[in-house]
Amino acid sequence: MEFLTLVIITICMYLLMFKPEREKLAFGMFGAATFILVGMWFVTTFGSIFGNGNY
């Protein structure tokens, strides 16, 4: 997943540098990459927030 976010952010940088007219697409992709990173953080810290046990 980290590599996926790295690829998405690289594509965003490419769009912003060479095709500035596609700024909205780059911003959307950046938001998606941020959402993935926050999701990964939540999954990895889920045990420390709620503790282990039966839900």
Side-chain angles (χ1 to χ4, degrees), residues 20-40:
E21 67 273 4
R22 311 227 36 198
E23 183 182 26
K24 289 184 179 182
L25 176 64
F27 183 73
M29 292 177 71
F30 180 76
T34 303
F35 181 74
I36 290 171
L37 288 173
V38 169
M40 287 183 356

